[in-house]
PDB file of all heavy atoms in Angstrom:
ATOM      1  N   VAL Y 153      -2.107  -9.175 -21.385  1.00 94.00           N
ATOM      2  CA  VAL Y 153      -2.870 -10.330 -21.742  1.00 94.00           C
ATOM      3  C   VAL Y 153      -2.529 -11.524 -20.799  1.00 94.00           C
ATOM      4  O   VAL Y 153      -1.405 -11.805 -20.647  1.00 94.00           O
ATOM      5  CB  VAL Y 153      -2.587 -10.827 -23.208  1.00 94.00           C
ATOM      6  CG1 VAL Y 153      -3.470 -11.957 -23.544  1.00 94.00           C
ATOM      7  CG2 VAL Y 153      -2.747  -9.679 -24.157  1.00 94.00           C
ATOM      8  N   ASN Y 154      -3.572 -11.990 -20.156  1.00 93.00           N
ATOM      9  CA  ASN Y 154      -3.475 -13.162 -19.231  1.00 93.00           C
ATOM     10  C   ASN Y 154      -4.760 -13.876 -19.138  1.00 93.00           C
ATOM     11  O   ASN Y 154      -5.591 -13.722 -19.871  1.00 93.00           O
ATOM     12  CB  ASN Y 154      -2.809 -12.695 -17.901  1.00 93.00           C
ATOM     13  CG  ASN Y 154      -3.767 -11.598 -17.206  1.00 93.00           C
ATOM     14  OD1 ASN Y 154      -4.982 -11.617 -17.372  1.00 93.00           O
ATOM     15  ND2 ASN Y 154      -3.167 -10.828 -16.362  1.00 93.00           N
ATOM     16  N   LYS Y 155      -4.784 -14.772 -18.108  1.00 91.00           N
ATOM     17  CA  LYS Y 155      -5.929 -15.650 -18.051  1.00 91.00           C
ATOM     18  C   LYS Y 155      -7.229 -14.906 -17.733  1.00 91.00           C
ATOM     19  O   LYS Y 155      -8.338 -15.422 -17.947  1.00 91.00           O
ATOM     20  CB  LYS Y 155      -5.729 -16.659 -16.919  1.00 91.00           C
ATOM     21  CG  LYS Y 155      -4.721 -17.782 -17.279  1.00 91.00           C
ATOM     22  CD  LYS Y 155      -4.514 -18.751 -16.161  1.00 91.00           C
ATOM     23  CE  LYS Y 155      -3.484 -19.809 -16.508  1.00 91.00           C
ATOM     24  NZ  LYS Y 155      -3.936 -20.788 -17.528  1.00 91.00           N
ATOM     25  N   SER Y 156      -7.102 -13.756 -17.119  1.00 88.00           N
ATOM     26  CA  SER Y 156      -8.332 -12.926 -16.827  1.00 88.00           C
ATOM     27  C   SER Y 156      -8.538 -11.771 -17.690  1.00 88.00           C
ATOM     28  O   SER Y 156      -9.563 -11.035 -17.596  1.00 88.00           O
ATOM     29  CB  SER Y 156      -8.234 -12.478 -15.373  1.00 88.00           C
ATOM     30  OG  SER Y 156      -7.150 -11.636 -15.136  1.00 88.00           O
ATOM     31  N   ARG Y 157      -7.622 -11.559 -18.668  1.00 91.00           N
ATOM     32  CA  ARG Y 157      -7.640 -10.372 -19.543  1.00 91.00           C
ATOM     33  C   ARG Y 157      -7.396 -10.861 -21.013  1.00 91.00           C
ATOM     34  O   ARG Y 157      -6.277 -10.884 -21.486  1.00 91.00           O
ATOM     35  CB  ARG Y 157      -6.581  -9.298 -19.195  1.00 91.00           C
ATOM     36  CG  ARG Y 157      -6.816  -8.635 -17.849  1.00 91.00           C
ATOM     37  CD  ARG Y 157      -5.731  -7.618 -17.629  1.00 91.00           C
ATOM     38  NE  ARG Y 157      -5.704  -6.529 -18.529  1.00 91.00           N
ATOM     39  CZ  ARG Y 157      -6.454  -5.465 -18.516  1.00 91.00           C
ATOM     40  NH1 ARG Y 157      -7.261  -5.287 -17.531  1.00 91.00           N
ATOM     41  NH2 ARG Y 157      -6.388  -4.523 -19.469  1.00 91.00           N
ATOM     42  N   PRO Y 158      -8.544 -11.184 -21.671  1.00 95.00           N
ATOM     43  CA  PRO Y 158      -8.404 -11.672 -23.018  1.00 95.00           C
ATOM     44  C   PRO Y 158      -8.251 -10.526 -24.001  1.00 95.00           C
ATOM     45  O   PRO Y 158      -8.394  -9.387 -23.656  1.00 95.00           O
ATOM     46  CB  PRO Y 158      -9.800 -12.391 -23.284  1.00 95.00           C
ATOM     47  CG  PRO Y 158     -10.686 -11.616 -22.383  1.00 95.00           C
ATOM     48  CD  PRO Y 158      -9.918 -11.308 -21.192  1.00 95.00           C
ATOM     49  N   LEU Y 159      -7.791 -10.969 -25.223  1.00 95.00           N
ATOM     50  CA  LEU Y 159      -7.602  -9.934 -26.284  1.00 95.00           C
ATOM     51  C   LEU Y 159      -9.057  -9.423 -26.657  1.00 95.00           C
ATOM     52  O   LEU Y 159     -10.033 -10.222 -26.684  1.00 95.00           O
ATOM     53  CB  LEU Y 159      -6.948 -10.554 -27.502  1.00 95.00           C
ATOM     54  CG  LEU Y 159      -5.497 -10.754 -27.309  1.00 95.00           C
ATOM     55  CD1 LEU Y 159      -4.853 -11.717 -28.347  1.00 95.00           C
ATOM     56  CD2 LEU Y 159      -4.717  -9.443 -27.339  1.00 95.00           C
ATOM     57  N   ASN Y 160      -9.162  -8.192 -27.019  1.00 94.00           N
ATOM     58  CA  ASN Y 160     -10.377  -7.691 -27.487  1.00 94.00           C
ATOM     59  C   ASN Y 160     -10.162  -6.776 -28.742  1.00 94.00           C
ATOM     60  O   ASN Y 160      -9.443  -5.747 -28.605  1.00 94.00           O
ATOM     61  CB  ASN Y 160     -10.997  -6.765 -26.425  1.00 94.00           C
ATOM     62  CG  ASN Y 160     -12.422  -6.206 -26.770  1.00 94.00           C
ATOM     63  OD1 ASN Y 160     -13.001  -6.731 -27.635  1.00 94.00           O
ATOM     64  ND2 ASN Y 160     -12.832  -5.224 -26.030  1.00 94.00           N
ATOM     65  N   PRO Y 161     -10.586  -7.225 -29.937  1.00 95.00           N
ATOM     66  CA  PRO Y 161     -11.377  -8.451 -30.172  1.00 95.00           C
ATOM     67  C   PRO Y 161     -10.642  -9.749 -30.004  1.00 95.00           C
ATOM     68  O   PRO Y 161      -9.417  -9.778 -30.218  1.00 95.00           O
ATOM     69  CB  PRO Y 161     -11.861  -8.138 -31.607  1.00 95.00           C
ATOM     70  CG  PRO Y 161     -10.752  -7.473 -32.220  1.00 95.00           C
ATOM     71  CD  PRO Y 161     -10.211  -6.511 -31.169  1.00 95.00           C
ATOM     72  N   ALA Y 162     -11.418 -10.835 -29.769  1.00 95.00           N
ATOM     73  CA  ALA Y 162     -10.734 -12.139 -29.567  1.00 95.00           C
ATOM     74  C   ALA Y 162      -9.961 -12.611 -30.763  1.00 95.00           C
ATOM     75  O   ALA Y 162      -8.980 -13.314 -30.668  1.00 95.00           O
ATOM     76  CB  ALA Y 162     -11.811 -13.143 -29.174  1.00 95.00           C
ATOM     77  N   GLY Y 163     -10.433 -12.198 -31.937  1.00 95.00           N
ATOM     78  CA  GLY Y 163      -9.767 -12.619 -33.148  1.00 95.00           C
ATOM     79  C   GLY Y 163      -8.726 -11.624 -33.689  1.00 95.00           C
ATOM     80  O   GLY Y 163      -8.450 -11.668 -34.889  1.00 95.00           O
ATOM     81  N   TYR Y 164      -8.290 -10.779 -32.807  1.00 96.00           N
ATOM     82  CA  TYR Y 164      -7.309  -9.752 -33.209  1.00 96.00           C
ATOM     83  C   TYR Y 164      -6.139 -10.365 -34.065  1.00 96.00           C
ATOM     84  O   TYR Y 164      -5.538 -11.398 -33.771  1.00 96.00           O
ATOM     85  CB  TYR Y 164      -6.753  -9.051 -32.032  1.00 96.00           C
ATOM     86  CG  TYR Y 164      -5.496  -8.226 -32.315  1.00 96.00           C
ATOM     87  CD1 TYR Y 164      -5.714  -6.955 -32.860  1.00 96.00           C
ATOM     88  CD2 TYR Y 164      -4.312  -8.627 -31.844  1.00 96.00           C
ATOM     89  CE1 TYR Y 164      -4.579  -6.189 -33.183  1.00 96.00           C
ATOM     90  CE2 TYR Y 164      -3.169  -7.833 -32.149  1.00 96.00           C
ATOM     91  CZ  TYR Y 164      -3.329  -6.568 -32.744  1.00 96.00           C
ATOM     92  OH  TYR Y 164      -2.194  -5.807 -33.015  1.00 96.00           O
ATOM     93  N   VAL Y 165      -5.755  -9.660 -35.145  1.00 97.00           N
ATOM     94  CA  VAL Y 165      -4.675 -10.010 -35.986  1.00 97.00           C
ATOM     95  C   VAL Y 165      -3.782  -8.801 -36.194  1.00 97.00           C
ATOM     96  O   VAL Y 165      -4.214  -7.728 -36.651  1.00 97.00           O
ATOM     97  CB  VAL Y 165      -5.062 -10.452 -37.350  1.00 97.00           C
ATOM     98  CG1 VAL Y 165      -3.926 -10.782 -38.244  1.00 97.00           C
ATOM     99  CG2 VAL Y 165      -5.946 -11.700 -37.264  1.00 97.00           C
ATOM    100  N   PRO Y 166      -2.497  -8.742 -35.709  1.00 97.00           N
ATOM    101  CA  PRO Y 166      -1.622  -7.611 -35.886  1.00 97.00           C
ATOM    102  C   PRO Y 166      -1.462  -7.210 -37.368  1.00 97.00           C
ATOM    103  O   PRO Y 166      -1.522  -8.111 -38.276  1.00 97.00           O
ATOM    104  CB  PRO Y 166      -0.296  -8.114 -35.291  1.00 97.00           C
ATOM    105  CG  PRO Y 166      -0.625  -9.271 -34.508  1.00 97.00           C
ATOM    106  CD  PRO Y 166      -1.764  -9.936 -35.110  1.00 97.00           C
ATOM    107  N   GLY Y 167      -1.380  -5.998 -37.614  1.00 94.00           N
ATOM    108  CA  GLY Y 167      -1.202  -5.518 -39.007  1.00 94.00           C
ATOM    109  C   GLY Y 167       0.093  -5.364 -39.567  1.00 94.00           C
ATOM    110  O   GLY Y 167       0.304  -5.011 -40.730  1.00 94.00           O
ATOM    111  N   ASP Y 168       1.130  -5.647 -38.741  1.00 96.00           N
ATOM    112  CA  ASP Y 168       2.516  -5.450 -39.198  1.00 96.00           C
ATOM    113  C   ASP Y 168       3.383  -6.655 -38.921  1.00 96.00           C
ATOM    114  O   ASP Y 168       4.544  -6.498 -38.567  1.00 96.00           O
ATOM    115  CB  ASP Y 168       3.065  -4.241 -38.606  1.00 96.00           C
ATOM    116  CG  ASP Y 168       3.135  -4.263 -37.041  1.00 96.00           C
ATOM    117  OD1 ASP Y 168       2.490  -5.217 -36.502  1.00 96.00           O
ATOM    118  OD2 ASP Y 168       3.835  -3.489 -36.389  1.00 96.00           O
ATOM    119  N   LEU Y 169       2.892  -7.859 -39.181  1.00 97.00           N
ATOM    120  CA  LEU Y 169       3.691  -9.106 -39.034  1.00 97.00           C
ATOM    121  C   LEU Y 169       4.843  -9.231 -40.030  1.00 97.00           C
ATOM    122  O   LEU Y 169       4.577  -8.968 -41.242  1.00 97.00           O
ATOM    123  CB  LEU Y 169       2.853 -10.317 -39.003  1.00 97.00           C
ATOM    124  CG  LEU Y 169       1.843 -10.471 -37.866  1.00 97.00           C
ATOM    125  CD1 LEU Y 169       0.860 -11.675 -38.172  1.00 97.00           C
ATOM    126  CD2 LEU Y 169       2.470 -10.685 -36.564  1.00 97.00           C
ATOM    127  N   VAL Y 170       5.964  -9.642 -39.549  1.00 97.00           N
ATOM    128  CA  VAL Y 170       7.085  -9.893 -40.536  1.00 97.00           C
ATOM    129  C   VAL Y 170       7.797 -11.162 -40.142  1.00 97.00           C
ATOM    130  O   VAL Y 170       7.619 -11.686 -39.056  1.00 97.00           O
ATOM    131  CB  VAL Y 170       8.135  -8.686 -40.434  1.00 97.00           C
ATOM    132  CG1 VAL Y 170       7.562  -7.389 -40.801  1.00 97.00           C
ATOM    133  CG2 VAL Y 170       8.749  -8.645 -39.058  1.00 97.00           C
ATOM    134  N   ASN Y 171       8.414 -11.766 -41.098  1.00 97.00           N
ATOM    135  CA  ASN Y 171       9.145 -12.984 -40.921  1.00 97.00           C
ATOM    136  C   ASN Y 171      10.337 -12.710 -39.963  1.00 97.00           C
ATOM    137  O   ASN Y 171      11.291 -11.993 -40.479  1.00 97.00           O
ATOM    138  CB  ASN Y 171       9.594 -13.513 -42.237  1.00 97.00           C
ATOM    139  CG  ASN Y 171      10.174 -14.943 -42.176  1.00 97.00           C
ATOM    140  OD1 ASN Y 171      10.496 -15.392 -41.117  1.00 97.00           O
ATOM    141  ND2 ASN Y 171      10.199 -15.614 -43.338  1.00 97.00           N
ATOM    142  N   ALA Y 172      10.389 -13.283 -38.743  1.00 97.00           N
ATOM    143  CA  ALA Y 172      11.470 -12.967 -37.872  1.00 97.00           C
ATOM    144  C   ALA Y 172      12.726 -13.723 -38.212  1.00 97.00           C
ATOM    145  O   ALA Y 172      12.770 -14.971 -38.129  1.00 97.00           O
ATOM    146  CB  ALA Y 172      10.961 -13.227 -36.424  1.00 97.00           C
ATOM    147  N   ARG Y 173      13.752 -13.012 -38.530  1.00 96.00           N
ATOM    148  CA  ARG Y 173      15.052 -13.611 -38.836  1.00 96.00           C
ATOM    149  C   ARG Y 173      15.016 -14.708 -39.849  1.00 96.00           C
ATOM    150  O   ARG Y 173      15.799 -15.680 -39.788  1.00 96.00           O
ATOM    151  CB  ARG Y 173      15.646 -14.102 -37.534  1.00 96.00           C
ATOM    152  CG  ARG Y 173      15.984 -12.984 -36.443  1.00 96.00           C
ATOM    153  CD  ARG Y 173      16.611 -13.571 -35.231  1.00 96.00           C
ATOM    154  NE  ARG Y 173      17.911 -14.054 -35.466  1.00 96.00           N
ATOM    155  CZ  ARG Y 173      19.062 -13.432 -35.616  1.00 96.00           C
ATOM    156  NH1 ARG Y 173      19.011 -12.080 -35.520  1.00 96.00           N
ATOM    157  NH2 ARG Y 173      20.193 -13.992 -35.798  1.00 96.00           N
ATOM    158  N   GLY Y 174      14.090 -14.633 -40.808  1.00 94.00           N
ATOM    159  CA  GLY Y 174      14.002 -15.663 -41.836  1.00 94.00           C
ATOM    160  C   GLY Y 174      13.608 -17.062 -41.352  1.00 94.00           C
ATOM    161  O   GLY Y 174      13.867 -18.002 -42.029  1.00 94.00           O
ATOM    162  N   SER Y 175      12.971 -17.096 -40.190  1.00 95.00           N
ATOM    163  CA  SER Y 175      12.698 -18.389 -39.451  1.00 95.00           C
ATOM    164  C   SER Y 175      11.376 -19.023 -39.984  1.00 95.00           C
ATOM    165  O   SER Y 175      11.165 -20.184 -39.677  1.00 95.00           O
ATOM    166  CB  SER Y 175      12.622 -18.125 -37.964  1.00 95.00           C
ATOM    167  OG  SER Y 175      11.541 -17.336 -37.667  1.00 95.00           O
ATOM    168  N   GLY Y 176      10.613 -18.188 -40.746  1.00 96.00           N
ATOM    169  CA  GLY Y 176       9.296 -18.737 -41.005  1.00 96.00           C
ATOM    170  C   GLY Y 176       8.330 -18.533 -39.919  1.00 96.00           C
ATOM    171  O   GLY Y 176       7.133 -18.921 -39.952  1.00 96.00           O
ATOM    172  N   LEU Y 177       8.688 -17.962 -38.847  1.00 97.00           N
ATOM    173  CA  LEU Y 177       7.857 -17.600 -37.663  1.00 97.00           C
ATOM    174  C   LEU Y 177       7.770 -16.096 -37.643  1.00 97.00           C
ATOM    175  O   LEU Y 177       8.796 -15.411 -37.900  1.00 97.00           O
ATOM    176  CB  LEU Y 177       8.542 -18.107 -36.386  1.00 97.00           C
ATOM    177  CG  LEU Y 177       8.617 -19.669 -36.359  1.00 97.00           C
ATOM    178  CD1 LEU Y 177       9.447 -20.090 -35.129  1.00 97.00           C
ATOM    179  CD2 LEU Y 177       7.280 -20.317 -36.192  1.00 97.00           C
ATOM    180  N   TYR Y 178       6.627 -15.661 -37.276  1.00 97.00           N
ATOM    181  CA  TYR Y 178       6.336 -14.178 -37.499  1.00 97.00           C
ATOM    182  C   TYR Y 178       6.171 -13.424 -36.131  1.00 97.00           C
ATOM    183  O   TYR Y 178       5.828 -14.002 -35.182  1.00 97.00           O
ATOM    184  CB  TYR Y 178       4.998 -14.043 -38.322  1.00 97.00           C
ATOM    185  CG  TYR Y 178       5.287 -14.327 -39.723  1.00 97.00           C
ATOM    186  CD1 TYR Y 178       5.483 -15.660 -40.175  1.00 97.00           C
ATOM    187  CD2 TYR Y 178       5.263 -13.313 -40.717  1.00 97.00           C
ATOM    188  CE1 TYR Y 178       5.728 -15.888 -41.533  1.00 97.00           C
ATOM    189  CE2 TYR Y 178       5.513 -13.587 -42.054  1.00 97.00           C
ATOM    190  CZ  TYR Y 178       5.745 -14.868 -42.480  1.00 97.00           C
ATOM    191  OH  TYR Y 178       5.930 -15.126 -43.792  1.00 97.00           O
ATOM    192  N   LEU Y 179       6.627 -12.178 -36.197  1.00 98.00           N
ATOM    193  CA  LEU Y 179       6.437 -11.255 -35.012  1.00 98.00           C
ATOM    194  C   LEU Y 179       6.054  -9.892 -35.637  1.00 98.00           C
ATOM    195  O   LEU Y 179       6.211  -9.612 -36.801  1.00 98.00           O
ATOM    196  CB  LEU Y 179       7.712 -11.107 -34.213  1.00 98.00           C
ATOM    197  CG  LEU Y 179       8.224 -12.300 -33.471  1.00 98.00           C
ATOM    198  CD1 LEU Y 179       9.566 -12.003 -32.923  1.00 98.00           C
ATOM    199  CD2 LEU Y 179       7.216 -12.675 -32.388  1.00 98.00           C
ATOM    200  N   ARG Y 180       5.555  -9.002 -34.764  1.00 98.00           N
ATOM    201  CA  ARG Y 180       5.309  -7.657 -35.222  1.00 98.00           C
ATOM    202  C   ARG Y 180       6.694  -7.053 -35.499  1.00 98.00           C
ATOM    203  O   ARG Y 180       7.668  -7.369 -34.985  1.00 98.00           O
ATOM    204  CB  ARG Y 180       4.514  -6.810 -34.112  1.00 98.00           C
ATOM    205  CG  ARG Y 180       3.106  -7.210 -33.962  1.00 98.00           C
ATOM    206  CD  ARG Y 180       2.325  -6.354 -33.086  1.00 98.00           C
ATOM    207  NE  ARG Y 180       2.449  -4.929 -33.526  1.00 98.00           N
ATOM    208  CZ  ARG Y 180       1.949  -3.903 -32.828  1.00 98.00           C
ATOM    209  NH1 ARG Y 180       1.325  -4.228 -31.641  1.00 98.00           N
ATOM    210  NH2 ARG Y 180       2.070  -2.671 -33.173  1.00 98.00           N
ATOM    211  N   ALA Y 181       6.601  -6.023 -36.462  1.00 97.00           N
ATOM    212  CA  ALA Y 181       7.911  -5.551 -37.008  1.00 97.00           C
ATOM    213  C   ALA Y 181       8.798  -4.961 -36.024  1.00 97.00           C
ATOM    214  O   ALA Y 181      10.073  -5.246 -36.022  1.00 97.00           O
ATOM    215  CB  ALA Y 181       7.572  -4.422 -37.979  1.00 97.00           C
ATOM    216  N   GLU Y 182       8.334  -4.209 -35.014  1.00 97.00           N
ATOM    217  CA  GLU Y 182       9.205  -3.587 -33.986  1.00 97.00           C
ATOM    218  C   GLU Y 182       9.865  -4.677 -33.143  1.00 97.00           C
ATOM    219  O   GLU Y 182      10.999  -4.712 -32.800  1.00 97.00           O
ATOM    220  CB  GLU Y 182       8.482  -2.610 -33.154  1.00 97.00           C
ATOM    221  CG  GLU Y 182       9.376  -1.927 -32.162  1.00 97.00           C
ATOM    222  CD  GLU Y 182       8.647  -0.826 -31.323  1.00 97.00           C
ATOM    223  OE1 GLU Y 182       7.731  -0.154 -31.945  1.00 97.00           O
ATOM    224  OE2 GLU Y 182       9.048  -0.545 -30.244  1.00 97.00           O
ATOM    225  N   ALA Y 183       9.041  -5.695 -32.681  1.00 98.00           N
ATOM    226  CA  ALA Y 183       9.560  -6.796 -31.906  1.00 98.00           C
ATOM    227  C   ALA Y 183      10.607  -7.565 -32.659  1.00 98.00           C
ATOM    228  O   ALA Y 183      11.665  -7.952 -32.076  1.00 98.00           O
ATOM    229  CB  ALA Y 183       8.411  -7.722 -31.449  1.00 98.00           C
ATOM    230  N   ALA Y 184      10.345  -7.818 -33.976  1.00 98.00           N
ATOM    231  CA  ALA Y 184      11.335  -8.586 -34.742  1.00 98.00           C
ATOM    232  C   ALA Y 184      12.634  -7.813 -34.923  1.00 98.00           C
ATOM    233  O   ALA Y 184      13.727  -8.399 -34.895  1.00 98.00           O
ATOM    234  CB  ALA Y 184      10.757  -8.869 -36.157  1.00 98.00           C
TER     235      ALA Y 184
END
Side-chain angles (χ1 to χ4, degrees):
V153 182
N154 57 30
K155 288 179 181 289
S156 62
R157 294 181 61 87
L159 287 163
N160 186 17
Y164 168 74
V165 178
D168 59 346
L169 293 171
V170 299
N171 189 341
R173 298 181 63 80
S175 64
L177 299 169
Y178 285 71
L179 292 173
R180 287 187 58 184
E182 183 173 332

